Amino acid sequence: MNRMIKLTLVALTAAMILGGGSSQAQELYLNGFVEGLWSGGLDDRNPTDRDYPAAETRLQLRAESYGDNAEVFAKVDFIQDGFDSTSYDWELREAYLKFRLPIDIDFKIGRQILTWGTGDLLFINDVFAKDYQSFFIGRQDEYLKAPQTAMRAEWFTKAGTFSLIAIPDFEPNILPTGDRLSFYNPMNVDIVGSSGYMAPVEPDNSFDNAEIAFRYSRSVKGFNVAGYAYRGFYKEPRAVRMIDSTTSELYFPRLNVYGASLRGQVAGGILWLEGGYYDSRKDQYGDEYSIENSSTKAFIGFERQVASDFTGNIQFQAEMMSSYDNYEKSYDGYVAMMNMMQPGAPVTPKTDETRTLITSRWTKQLASQTVTLSLFGFYSPSDEDAYIRFSTAYKYTDELSLMVGGNIFEGKNPQTMFGQFDHNDNLYVKVNYGF
Amino acid sequence: MKKIIITLAIFILASVAGYSVINAQTDAAEIMQKSHMAYFYAADDGVADVTMKIINKKGKERIREFTMLRIDLVEGGEQKYYTYFKKPSDVSRLTFMVWKNPNASDNRWIYVPAVDLVKQISADDKNSSFVGSDFTYEDVSGRHWSEDSHRLISESETLDGKETYLVSSTPVEKYKGFAEKKTWIDKTSFLPLKEEYYNDKGKLVRVFTSDKIETIDGIETVTQRTMENVKKKQHTTIYFNEISYNTGLTDDIFTERYLKTPPRKYIK
């Protein structure tokens, strides 16, 4: 946190210097919201610490100041967590300096939300940190994107836009830890609460461990076409290693991603297509059971308005593991080893070579767009699991809004993406006052 | 002989009548074209600070504040619009861009700052409400005059002391926005003073009025306009607080770069 504060101060100072030459008086714009969120679990069998995944009050403050060629922006959340004994926390979600060089390069430096790619809640080339815990318990959709401290440079040319992002400190995805949400632990071969949670070990902060992401994008015949490259780490602990003969630790293995996307107008709607190759650098042959194999992923989506204020979309995603033969062999080796250590004990099932996923979103607005009904469904035919998000939001005034919604998980098996969250079904109520 | 004379007389009368119908149609189309140009294509570009008030039947008021930039690439044709939202708080800093193609579907992009996401969005339905108001996207950026056939109903109506042309327009292709539109057009400025929208049952559904006209940089401009939804008993008034024309806006401002970082020279 200390580091972030320093960064903010540097950004603010730089902005004042940069903005100093501007003819306008520097004004500070302030706004934000207060929000109460109560989320209740629907399943008594859930092995979590909390019966209700969220009971919190949040104050968000946003401050902005700008000159002709530079701007500073900060967004801070103060959270009062009402679970058990009341506790307080804060999070610096954004604190950046944006400035422009005369050679058509825009810089954005500091704490920021990073996004690219074409999917609707599906990500291939967007390798930036996500907060799935927030996403699953009813917080606003924007909380799915976790902030990162980064430097972004974008160079705008006639031949296209070149974007380069450097992230010095690795930040992982925020996943269920058993406290608010239960999850599947392959060691336990079961869905676990916080007792089954093992904190993964993050890569050291070193120059070589900095994440680098690159994108080139341009418009071709009305379509936005982009190519991507990334060098960094899996954002989820997809590997395990032994530290001594009895203890092991989870870690984030090396990952490179290469991909491309396309998005544009087709048949009165929007069509998008994205693909990428996940190159697991430390398991090139896929024969290392303890490290995730490389894989190829692609999705296609289409969205259109079906009536006034009524929009629907559908996406189809497929994901294929590389070197599946080697994975099977290494899996068999793992099973043999486990049988030797604990004869007869259950072993986590083998992963399929191909995973398929269908998603669909439907949004209907009513009463002059003051009421929004939203439904988003994920269904995987290969994993036989599903996840449904639904909500109804009502804007009572421009400032005051009320939302009720829910997250429902279903799965035939506990080891699948959504199946592991089967006990986490929840309903929530949210009241928001913006100012 | 008598028969011939009668036939001839009928023929002449019919031709005259037919000619005047055609003439009235071309006149009406020309008036609508001039009106469209005066209202949607004033100068080569424009910057406006806008306040929008949506007032429902209970008198409850919702307010949107935004800055709108416009550039005309082809007079009467291609245009680009850029909107930067200031209020309400939940949409502040959000930007929105439209590339208007009168002969094809528009392109629309939205930038959501909270997730740093630029997204091209579906623009098929030009008849949907603009930010929850009684104005549609089409009311904001204009429906091309060639999409309707026009008929001059009267040249002698006055509205608020102004002489007007009264034109009736019907969509060439079936359109859910309206079945008939009546427009009162000021004879000197060619600005629309009033519009009435009727549905396919001939029922009045929406009424547009130009509430205030001011001369800005030598151009007559509607600076306050209202759209009333008759059925919902709700109306929306748009106030143009500050307008400037021919500001020197360039085409490159209407791109992803400026969607992400607003051009502060124009947007305060």
Side-chain angles (χ1 to χ4, degrees):
Chain A
M1 256 332 166
N2 224 338
R3 211 192 174 103
M4 278 185 240
I5 295 162
K6 264 189 230 157
L7 202 87
T8 318
L9 289 175
V10 170
L12 285 167
T13 317
M16 281 172 200
I17 296 163
L18 280 160
S22 156
S23 53
Q24 277 83 41
Q26 298 297 310
E27 274 184 80
L28 187 71
Y29 298 88
L30 264 175
N31 58 16
F33 64 76
V34 187
E35 184 174 270
L37 166 69
W38 299 271
S39 173
L42 296 176
D43 192 335
D44 291 342
R45 294 165 300 164
N46 203 4
T48 49
D49 302 350
R50 304 178 182 222
D51 298 331
Y52 39 98
E56 62 192 31
T57 311
R58 181 180 294 265
L59 166 71
Q60 178 173 97
L61 290 177
R62 301 185 287 257
E64 180 184 34
S65 185
Y66 51 79
D68 279 355
N69 290 308
E71 76 176 62
V72 271
F73 179 77
K75 186 194 263 189
V76 194
D77 278 15
F78 299 92
I79 308 120
Q80 185 224 48
D81 188 348
F83 172 72
D84 215 7
S85 59
T86 304
S87 64
Y88 298 88
D89 199 2
W90 67 285
E91 185 191 16
L92 187 64
R93 287 196 58 83
E94 289 178 67
Y96 62 76
L97 163 70
K98 222 185 208 184
F99 61 95
R100 170 160 298 179
L101 293 184
I103 46 167
D104 278 340
I105 300 184
D106 290 0
F107 286 93
K108 188 176 178 184
I109 298 169
R111 193 96 181 132
Q112 55 187 293
I113 304 290
L114 299 158
T115 301
W116 61 35
T118 58
D120 187 5
L121 301 181
L122 291 183
F123 307 100
I124 293 176
N125 293 295
D126 182 332
V127 281
F128 310 114
K130 321 270 182 318
D131 179 353
Y132 285 103
Q133 178 167 276
S134 289
F135 187 63
F136 292 149
I137 62 173
R139 288 183 185 141
Q140 291 182 34
D141 284 0
E142 66 171 84
Y143 288 91
L144 172 60
K145 300 293 294 192
Q148 288 182 278
T149 303
M151 188 208 79
R152 184 182 80 186
E154 290 196 295
W155 183 31
F156 299 88
T157 73
K158 284 214 166 62
T161 303
F162 299 85
S163 309
L164 184 71
I165 294 169
I167 304 163
D169 296 356
F170 173 83
E171 275 172 81
N173 287 351
I174 298 166
L175 299 169
T177 58
D179 174 27
R180 295 168 190 268
L181 299 167
S182 56
F183 63 99
Y184 178 78
N185 184 334
M187 312 282 190
N188 300 46
V189 201
D190 202 2
I191 292 170
V192 295
S194 55
S195 62
Y197 175 72
M198 188 160 78
V201 181
E202 289 182 24
D204 299 334
N205 284 334
S206 71
F207 184 76
D208 188 51
N209 282 352
E211 293 175 76
I212 303 284
F214 172 80
R215 177 181 68 166
Y216 166 70
S217 73
R218 67 166 300 170
S219 177
V220 179
K221 294 190 171 168
F223 282 87
N224 186 277
V225 178
Y228 309 81
Y230 168 77
R231 180 180 185 272
F233 300 88
Y234 279 92
K235 284 283 158 70
E236 288 165 16
R238 296 298 177 90
V240 62
R241 65 189 158 211
M242 300 301 291
I243 345 178
D244 54 50
S245 57
T246 53
T247 14
S248 61
E249 65 179 20
L250 290 169
Y251 70 101
F252 304 88
R254 273 258 171 223
L255 171 72
N256 288 2
V257 181
Y258 319 98
S261 73
L262 178 147
R263 189 176 169 105
Q265 208 149 228
V266 170
I270 303 288
L271 177 83
W272 59 93
L273 190 66
E274 185 167 330
Y277 177 65
Y278 273 52
D279 182 4
S280 183
R281 298 302 299 160
K282 299 292 175 197
D283 188 16
Q284 288 290 287
Y285 302 103
D287 50 4
E288 195 68 63
Y289 183 74
S290 60
I291 303 175
E292 171 115 342
N293 275 22
S294 298
S295 61
T296 307
K297 305 179 186 199
F299 58 69
I300 183 167
F302 182 72
E303 173 170 302
R304 69 166 296 170
Q305 284 180 334
V306 287
S308 281
D309 292 327
F310 189 29
T311 307
N313 78 23
I314 185 156
Q315 298 180 110
F316 182 78
Q317 174 170 281
E319 198 177 320
M320 208 177 134
M321 193 195 289
S322 302
S323 315
Y324 193 69
D325 291 352
N326 287 346
Y327 164 76
E328 281 186 306
K329 270 183 227 153
S330 68
Y331 175 79
D332 291 344
Y334 171 73
V335 173
M337 187 188 79
M338 293 307 284
N339 275 334
M340 229 159 67
M341 284 162 65
Q342 291 169 300
V347 179
T348 193
K350 197 193 284 181
T351 306
D352 292 338
E353 184 175 14
T354 308
R355 177 170 177 256
T356 52
L357 186 64
I358 298 164
T359 81
S360 187
R361 180 198 286 270
W362 295 91
T363 309
K364 172 71 184 164
Q365 289 188 302
L366 302 158
S368 299
Q369 301 180 1
T370 54
V371 176
T372 304
L373 308 177
S374 169
L375 178 71
F376 197 110
F378 296 81
Y379 168 68
S380 169
S382 60
D383 281 355
E384 297 179 89
D385 64 354
Y387 169 37
I388 310 278
R389 291 165 66 78
F390 59 89
S391 66
T392 300
Y394 173 52
K395 287 203 77 166
Y396 180 68
T397 65
D398 281 336
E399 292 81 26
L400 188 65
S401 63
L402 177 75
M403 187 190 253
V404 290
N407 293 282
I408 307 295
F409 303 89
E410 283 304 323
K412 201 178 165 195
N413 301 300
Q415 76 277 11
T416 61
M417 175 71 194
F418 302 121
Q420 65 175 318
F421 301 130
D422 209 357
H423 297 317
N424 290 323
D425 295 353
N426 61 76
L427 292 178
Y428 62 84
V429 179
K430 216 160 38 181
V431 180
N432 185 295
Y433 184 85
F435 54 87
Chain B
M1 189 63 181
K2 222 178 181 177
K3 263 189 193 164
I4 295 171
I5 291 170
I6 290 170
T7 315
L8 209 67
I10 289 170
F11 178 73
I12 290 166
L13 276 174
S15 324
V16 170
Y19 177 76
S20 56
V21 165
I22 290 165
N23 212 22
Q25 268 182 6
T26 46
D27 280 354
E30 219 176 283
I31 292 163
M32 288 308 280
Q33 179 179 353
K34 275 191 185 163
S35 174
H36 191 85
M37 298 302 291
Y39 188 65
F40 292 108
Y41 288 85
D44 295 331
D45 67 60
V47 177
D49 259 335
V50 181
T51 302
M52 191 182 236
K53 287 187 184 169
I54 306 162
I55 298 151
N56 74 5
K57 63 179 171 193
K58 288 176 196 149
K60 203 154 104 181
E61 205 174 86
R62 291 171 199 276
I63 295 175
R64 276 106 191 77
E65 277 175 34
F66 49 89
T67 302
M68 204 172 216
L69 316 181
R70 165 182 59 89
I71 188 170
D72 303 343
L73 302 179
V74 180
E75 279 305 315
E78 236 181 286
Q79 279 184 322
K80 290 178 180 176
Y81 287 85
Y82 178 109
T83 308
Y84 174 85
F85 287 91
K86 296 172 181 174
K87 275 181 186 167
S89 161
D90 63 339
V91 294
S92 75
R93 301 171 74 242
L94 189 137
T95 55
F96 176 68
M97 182 166 72
V98 181
W99 289 6
K100 183 182 133 191
N101 307 308
N103 301 314
S105 52
D106 294 349
N107 289 294
R108 287 185 206 158
W109 290 266
I110 190 169
Y111 171 67
V112 187
V115 284
D116 191 48
L117 174 68
V118 174
K119 202 168 120 183
Q120 186 173 9
I121 55 171
S122 174
D124 195 41
D125 192 358
K126 296 181 182 183
N127 191 43
S128 56
S129 156
F130 179 69
V131 296
S133 75
D134 297 292
F135 288 88
T136 63
Y137 281 96
E138 197 170 64
D139 296 330
V140 177
S141 65
R143 176 175 168 85
H144 202 260
W145 67 86
S146 64
E147 290 183 70
D148 303 318
S149 63
H150 310 283
R151 190 167 54 89
L152 186 60
I153 300 176
S154 163
E155 289 188 64
S156 54
E157 290 229 6
T158 53
L159 197 71
D160 302 331
K162 285 176 180 154
E163 282 195 38
T164 64
Y165 297 108
L166 175 55
V167 176
S168 158
S169 309
T170 45
V172 176
E173 284 174 30
K174 194 169 159 46
Y175 178 57
K176 61 179 172 179
F178 61 86
E180 191 198 355
K181 179 176 77 172
K182 282 184 189 162
T183 315
W184 283 259
I185 295 159
D186 184 353
K187 280 192 179 177
T188 48
S189 69
F190 279 92
L191 289 173
L193 301 181
K194 186 180 176 187
E195 292 170 338
E196 290 179 348
Y197 293 82
Y198 294 87
N199 67 11
D200 49 6
K201 291 178 188 106
K203 220 174 147 191
L204 182 67
V205 283
R206 294 197 306 154
V207 179
F208 167 86
T209 47
S210 291
D211 309 329
K212 196 174 175 189
I213 295 173
E214 291 174 83
T215 308
I216 290 153
D217 300 338
I219 296 167
E220 284 208 73
T221 308
V222 184
T223 55
Q224 186 184 321
R225 41 188 87 164
T226 298
M227 184 69 84
E228 187 196 340
N229 186 316
V230 179
K231 195 178 141 200
K232 280 192 193 166
K233 291 184 181 138
Q234 172 175 302
H235 69 272
T236 302
T237 302
I238 302 179
Y239 304 84
F240 287 82
N241 310 318
E242 229 173 277
I243 300 183
S244 34
Y245 289 121
N246 294 326
T247 58
L249 276 176
T250 46
D251 198 14
D252 69 314
I253 285 176
F254 298 84
T255 55
E256 185 179 333
R257 179 184 196 183
Y258 286 92
L259 212 53
K260 282 169 144 177
T261 311
R264 294 298 182 185
K265 199 175 149 195
Y266 303 100
I267 294 165
K268 299 294 168 215

